[in-house]
Amino acid sequence: MKGSLRHRDFRLLWAGESISQAGSAATRVMLPLIAVGTLHASSMTMSVLNAAAWLPWLLIGLPAGAWVDRMRRRPVMIVCNAVSGMLLLSVAAAAWLDALSVGQLLLAAALSGTADVFFRAACSAYVPALLPREDLADGNAKLETSGSAADVVAPSAGGALVQAGGAVFGFLADGLSFLASALLLTRIRAREGPPGGERRRTPALGPEIREGFAFLVRDPFLRTILLCDAGMNLFLAGTQALTIVFLSRTVGVDGGTIGVLIALVGLGGVLGAVVSPLLARTFGTARAVLLCAFCGGPFGLLIPLTTDGAGLVAFLVGDFCLSASIVAGNVIIVSFRQAYCPPGMLGRISSSIRFVMYGTLPLGSLLGGALATVLSDRGALWILYTGNALCALLLLPGPVRNRRELPVG
């Protein structure tokens, strides 16, 4: 056994993440289809639903990292998965009783988003505790691959369940997947060191939050990559809020076909995760980041050209190539950050990054809804995918363009 899979505790983490990501991938298709088909939600309502899941990153994204740096990461992750599981089981119960409402979906999205804030901050800081530095890139690629593989298998099942009237079972499966993930995390044996390293802790969160954010702002590599990622997230959040509404109402695709399309697009993410180490070795990590940013964005401009029948190829090719470039770039960037940032500050720096990156998501979702209301779903997608492609230019003023490799440490 080679690479990250040599480590038993990482295998447990990977298995738990794979299970919960499969459930979540199905829900990402089911929830908007149910909101559109059963609850008759408008494009703006769909944008608000999408924004609700990401709003916690704006509200508590920064202090969450400081809190996580004061705590042992594994218990935080277990609690967060358990909370998410119970929330989804409550949605399944409401659907079974025919009492599901947009209000409950908004509440579940916001609370599960809050759990996700803490889970992501803890997980990003926990992976380096399970793997040596030389296996970090392989471990992150495995995590990204499982997420992308879930995007291949689960959405078609989710779309088929909605079409067959089985939304209850979909939400039930997603809730149980989070609980199974929490159970696997309890079996990890690795002992964590003192939270935040050996240095003495202060009772005030403010200085710790500022310390992590200041490190991020001062560092030219972290700052440049973050500006590009945040800009892309802003525009892609708008497309995410509108894609299923666009396919369902504008193009006229049924739920089962939408699930198959999303699953096939997920193969692009799998491909990106698999080839990311090869890209980094062949071109160097810095050049690979530039390659992914500049080559992926233009493919998104195929998506607004989508029509029914043979015209669905435009959606498939555009989203497939865009997903491959995004996932490949993410694997390289996350591995760089984990090797580059001080371990005792990793939770705060990661949460500062996510505060900026994910904080743009609710804004982008509302932007997409507003554009669709004023123009149309198709017109909004043209603007959003053009904006995403242009964000690659934000990498050029920084030091990334002048290097072959990103620094490590």
Side-chain angles (χ1 to χ4, degrees), residues 15-233:
E17 273 290 86
S18 300
I19 293 169
S20 64
Q21 285 175 346
S24 296
T27 299
R28 282 195 296 272
V29 173
M30 289 189 298
L31 192 148
L33 284 175
I34 291 167
V36 171
T38 304
L39 303 178
H40 309 293
S42 65
S43 295
M44 194 65 205
T45 301
M46 291 301 304
S47 298
V48 172
L49 270 172
N50 194 59
W54 299 108
L55 185 61
W57 287 98
L58 271 178
L59 300 180
I60 62 169
L62 283 175
W67 284 324
V68 165
D69 274 346
R70 293 179 169 203
M71 297 180 281
R72 299 187 189 277
R73 280 69 183 258
R74 186 171 68 105
V76 172
M77 295 162 64
I78 292 170
V79 170
C80 289
N81 271 344
V83 168
S84 295
M86 296 307 295
L87 284 168
L88 285 162
L89 291 179
S90 74
V91 173
W96 182 56
L97 296 171
D98 200 23
L100 190 61
S101 66
V102 171
Q104 183 175 1
L105 290 179
L106 280 169
L107 181 62
L111 292 178
S112 61
T114 301
D116 190 52
V117 170
F118 286 95
F119 183 91
R120 294 300 154 198
C123 186
S124 180
Y126 191 49
V127 171
L130 299 181
L131 295 174
R133 179 175 292 183
E134 62 270 18
D135 289 334
L136 274 179
D138 181 68
N140 286 316
K142 292 287 191 301
L143 291 170
E144 288 285 353
T145 301
S146 62
S148 298
D151 289 338
V152 173
V153 176
S156 55
L161 277 173
V162 171
Q163 203 169 15
V168 174
F169 300 105
F171 286 119
L172 177 64
D174 195 6
L176 292 176
S177 73
F178 275 102
L179 297 181
S181 179
L183 181 62
L184 285 170
L185 288 173
T186 63
R187 299 185 59 202
I188 292 178
R189 298 171 184 166
R191 298 179 63 86
E192 294 184 66
E198 299 292 342
R199 67 186 181 88
R200 185 172 175 265
R201 311 305 297 168
T202 78
L205 284 175
E208 297 182 359
I209 294 171
R210 286 194 296 272
E211 184 182 13
F213 200 79
F215 186 96
L216 173 63
V217 171
R218 287 195 304 264
D219 188 274
F221 291 96
L222 295 173
R223 184 179 66 242
T224 300
I225 293 172
L226 178 60
L227 286 174
C228 176
D229 285 350
M232 289 180 172
N233 273 12

Side-chain angles (χ1 to χ4, degrees), residues 257-311:
T257 304
I258 289 175
V260 172
L261 284 172
I262 301 299
L264 292 174
V265 165
L267 286 171
V270 174
L271 177 65
V274 170
V275 303
S276 60
L278 177 63
L279 290 176
R281 289 193 301 269
T282 304
F283 299 102
T285 51
R287 291 177 185 173
V289 168
L290 290 170
L291 180 69
C292 292
F294 278 93
C295 293
F299 280 99
L301 297 174
L302 291 173
I303 295 170
L305 298 173
T306 303
T307 57
D308 200 6

